[in-house]
Amino acid sequence: MEYDDVVKGRRSIRGFLKKPVPKALIREILEIAMRAPTSLNTQPWNFYVVTGEVLDRIRAGNVERNLAGVPDSREFRMGPGYEGDHRKRQIEIAIQLFEAMGIERDNKEKRMDWVLRGFRQFDAPVSIVITYDKSIQGSDIAPFDCGGVVNCIVNTAWNRGLGCVINSQGIMQSPVVREHAGIPDDQVIQTCIAMGWPDDTFPANAVVSRRKSVDEAAVFRGFED
């Protein structure tokens, strides 16, 4: 696809076919995505790509700890809760997804199942856990650069027929992820990407989020109209 078509057409995928993703294809995606720009060419990212029984153990541990009421242990700080327009957009996409999935507002069982899907990495066949070196923890530049490579990964995957969703729920129980993915203590777990072949019959996959207009987001100064 042309670049513009990839960016405009990509959407978050939360339902996947039970079909493995070849290791060689993931390597190809990472190789291209790692051309993402970074501050002073520091390239702070590391990737732990998990599938099969390893990913199944992470899913099980995440769900078990969540149902047991274990507080999350996310390593990359969340910051304050969303308010104002940010909160409105958060609620808007949640409503779109719940409507697509037929989840009624008062149906606690279905709502909990949706939450648990996130902890299960949306049952995707692959999860890519993104980390950066603890030696640069506290710098805002490193996670910013990691965010850039995450964007490149999801777009590159989309261009090859794969779907992704950036999924912070999947790494909130960081001891589980660290243990089974074999992540050493000198790494900070930032986020993860659920990846696989999209299931076109999964209703939430058809949801397209509304985006701010350029007029809402951009201020132009010094131009002659």
Side-chain angles (χ1 to χ4, degrees):
M1 287 187 283
E2 295 290 335
Y3 177 78
D4 288 7
D5 295 330
V6 173
V7 174
K8 291 179 179 179
R10 189 211 62 81
R11 59 188 182 276
S12 293
I13 298 299
R14 297 175 174 87
F16 301 89
L17 298 175
K18 295 186 182 300
K19 176 182 175 182
V21 180
K23 178 181 176 181
L25 180 55
I26 300 171
R27 288 182 61 91
E28 178 183 310
I29 290 167
L30 292 177
E31 184 176 11
I32 293 173
M34 288 168 61
R35 296 301 305 172
T38 60
S39 174
L40 302 175
N41 196 36
T42 49
Q43 304 176 56
W45 49 65
N46 298 289
F47 310 103
Y48 294 82
V49 186
V50 293
T51 191
E53 292 184 3
V54 176
L55 182 50
D56 287 341
R57 289 196 293 270
I58 292 174
R59 291 192 230 275
N62 283 345
V63 170
E64 180 181 349
R65 288 168 67 98
N66 182 64
L67 291 177
V70 177
D72 77 73
S73 50
R74 182 186 173 111
E75 298 178 7
F76 182 68
R77 61 188 183 275
M78 288 283 289
Y82 294 123
E83 297 179 354
D85 288 341
H86 304 99
R87 178 61 175 163
K88 289 179 182 177
R89 285 191 284 270
Q90 184 184 30
I91 292 173
E92 181 182 35
I93 189 61
I95 291 174
Q96 283 182 267
L97 290 169
F98 283 1
E99 287 181 347
M101 296 300 298
I103 302 174
E104 300 85 1
R105 185 180 182 85
D106 58 350
N107 192 321
K108 294 182 180 180
E109 183 177 348
K110 284 187 177 181
R111 290 169 72 92
M112 175 55 72
D113 180 67
W114 184 258
V115 170
L116 292 179
R117 283 185 63 85
F119 281 89
R120 298 197 313 264
Q121 311 261 5
F122 291 93
D123 299 326
V126 172
S127 177
I128 302 177
V129 183
I130 293 88
T131 74
Y132 56 89
D133 295 343
K134 192 169 287 185
S135 62
I136 51 178
Q137 188 174 16
S139 164
D140 290 333
I141 296 297
F144 177 86
D145 286 342
C146 286
V149 80
V150 166
N151 178 67
C152 289
I153 289 171
V154 298
N155 281 328
T156 305
W158 186 259
N159 193 38
R160 283 154 176 75
L162 289 165
C164 299
V165 61
I166 304 168
N167 175 28
S168 63
Q169 287 173 298
I171 48 84
M172 283 185 176
Q173 297 292 344
S174 61
V176 173
V177 180
R178 186 176 292 280
E179 175 187 358
H180 296 298
I183 301 173
D185 291 338
D186 64 357
Q187 297 293 300
V188 178
I189 298 173
Q190 180 179 4
T191 192
C192 68
I193 303 169
M195 176 186 289
W197 304 103
D199 180 356
D200 293 335
T201 68
F202 192 75
N205 287 349
V207 170
V208 178
S209 58
R210 185 187 70 82
R211 297 303 170 122
K212 293 165 65 173
S213 68
V214 173
D215 288 338
E216 291 177 282
V219 175
F220 295 90
R221 295 284 186 262
F223 291 87
E224 296 182 4
D225 293 333

